[in-house]
């Protein structure tokens, strides 16, 4: 692994973790604040899937909607089976264990394949790798915020949220390592990479639309829709910055 690639991957991981740590800086969150955070997370998750992941896979997969649906169905089954096995034990905000499992699974896949994209870009050329990396660094900040705010809303545990956040940062390294390993044996097929990315979009749509938003909408408070819209706007701002740099 070259020094430049090592530094870029480190910055990407740190950007992701720092984004998440912004959520954990405040010592105590009220119930309304947690639900507002949940609504913002839903806006970010749905934006990432609909405005980022789905368009990215359309070029490589003519039937990407099939894999999006497959991801959604898998997440539904995971949610259902987890709820049945745990007799639907939920926290005070209405989340159960499947929500935590789903958000972690979706983000893990997403981070691995973003790591793969960094590794593949550097395998093609250093200049292309730098451009892709710069775009992804600004992309990782809102993703870290999304993950941390979702996990904290579900667990209400700062330590557990921080640990999961650091683990997610490691998945970026795993993706880069996987890309470097595969590049020694075969040319990585973009269509193959697009399949799990499309499935991740389906997972995020399920989580945002059926797990996070319904819980946030349990209270009639104007901060909920405002937070949801802010999540979408926040994503659009960071995507615009990454596109300008790219």
């Amino acid at each position: 692994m070259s020094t430049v690639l090592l530094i870029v991957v480190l910055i990407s991981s740190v950007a992701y973790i720092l984004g998440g740590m912004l959520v954990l800086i405040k010592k105590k969150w009220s119930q309304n604040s947690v639900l507002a955070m949940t609504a913002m997370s839903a806006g970010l998750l749905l934006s990432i899937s609909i405005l980022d992941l789905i368009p990215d896979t359309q070029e490589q997969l003519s039937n990407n909607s099939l894999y999006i649906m497959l991801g959604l169905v898998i997440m539904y089954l995971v949610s259902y089976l987890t709820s049945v096995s745990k007799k639907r034990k939920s926290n005070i905000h209405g989340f159960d264990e499947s929500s935590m499992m789903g958000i972690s699974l979706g983000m893990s896949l997403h981070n691995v394949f973003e790591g793969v994209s960094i590794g593949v870009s550097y395998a093609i050329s250093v200049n292309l790798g730098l451009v892709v990396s710069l775009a992804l660094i600004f992309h990782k900040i809102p993703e870290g915020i999304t993950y941390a705010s979702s996990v904290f809303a579900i667990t209400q545990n700062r330590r557990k949220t921080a640990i999961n956040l650091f683990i997610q940062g490691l998945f970026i390294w795993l993706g880069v390592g996987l890309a470097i390993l595969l590049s020694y044996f075969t040319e990585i097929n973009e269509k193959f990479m697009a399949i799990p990315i499309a499935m991740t979009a389906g997972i995020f749509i399920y989580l945002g639309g059926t797990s996070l938003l319904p819980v946030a909408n349990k209270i009639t408070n104007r901060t909920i829709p405002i937070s949801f819209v802010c999540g979408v706007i926040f994503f659009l701002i960071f995507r615009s910055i990454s596109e300008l740099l790219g």
Side-chain angles (χ1 to χ4, degrees):
M1 189 182 287
S2 71
T3 305
V4 176
L5 179 56
L6 186 69
I7 292 170
V8 166
V9 178
L10 179 62
I11 293 171
S12 297
S13 300
V14 169
Y16 184 87
I17 293 167
L18 284 178
M21 293 305 289
L22 291 173
V23 176
L24 302 177
I25 289 173
K26 190 172 178 180
K27 288 187 177 180
K28 190 174 182 180
W29 294 93
S30 66
Q31 184 176 357
N32 284 348
S33 296
V34 170
L35 292 176
M37 195 187 301
T38 303
M40 188 185 75
S41 300
L44 280 163
L45 272 182
L46 291 172
S47 297
I48 290 168
S49 57
I50 296 170
L51 302 176
D52 185 27
L53 301 184
I54 293 175
D56 281 353
T57 59
Q58 281 177 327
E59 294 179 10
Q60 285 81 32
L61 292 171
S62 57
N63 58 341
N64 70 331
S65 56
L66 175 65
Y67 295 102
I68 294 166
M69 193 66 204
L70 179 61
L72 195 151
V73 170
I74 289 172
M75 192 56 243
Y76 165 74
L77 292 174
V78 168
S79 178
Y80 176 77
L81 292 173
T82 305
S83 298
V84 169
S85 65
K86 299 291 181 180
K87 295 185 179 179
R88 216 166 179 81
K89 290 181 181 178
S90 302
N91 68 12
I92 58 171
H93 299 293
F95 294 110
D96 55 36
E97 191 172 316
S98 63
S99 301
M100 174 69 182
M101 187 183 297
I103 190 73
S104 294
L105 173 63
M107 274 298 181
S108 298
L109 285 171
H110 186 53
N111 286 330
V112 166
F113 280 90
E114 283 197 347
V116 168
S117 70
I118 292 173
V120 169
S121 301
Y122 274 92
I124 296 169
S125 77
V126 174
N127 288 337
L128 176 61
L130 283 171
V131 170
V132 171
S133 300
L134 272 174
L136 284 178
I137 286 168
F138 278 90
H139 188 61
K140 299 313 288 179
I141 295 171
E143 284 182 3
I145 293 171
T146 304
Y147 181 72
S149 57
S150 300
V151 172
F152 183 70
I154 294 166
T155 64
Q156 293 291 288
N157 188 311
R158 292 175 188 279
R159 185 170 175 273
K160 188 177 286 187
T161 302
I163 290 170
N164 279 280
L165 188 64
F166 275 92
I167 291 171
Q168 287 297 323
L170 294 176
F171 277 105
I172 301 170
W173 290 86
L174 177 62
V176 173
L178 187 62
I180 293 170
L181 183 65
L182 289 174
S183 65
Y184 284 110
F185 300 103
T186 182
E187 183 178 341
I188 298 175
N189 190 314
E190 288 187 353
K191 187 174 181 180
F192 171 76
M193 284 180 59
I195 292 173
I197 292 172
M199 290 174 65
T200 300
I203 290 170
F204 284 176
I205 289 171
Y206 178 87
L207 289 168
T210 69
S211 291
L212 300 181
L213 266 185
V215 171
N217 287 334
K218 283 184 177 180
I219 63 167
T220 54
N221 189 317
R222 64 183 179 182
T223 60
I224 301 303
I226 291 172
S227 298
F228 176 77
V229 174
C230 282
V232 177
I233 294 171
F234 190 56
F235 170 80
L236 291 172
I237 290 170
F238 271 86
R239 190 181 69 166
S240 299
I241 292 171
S242 65
E243 286 177 351
L244 284 172
L245 291 172

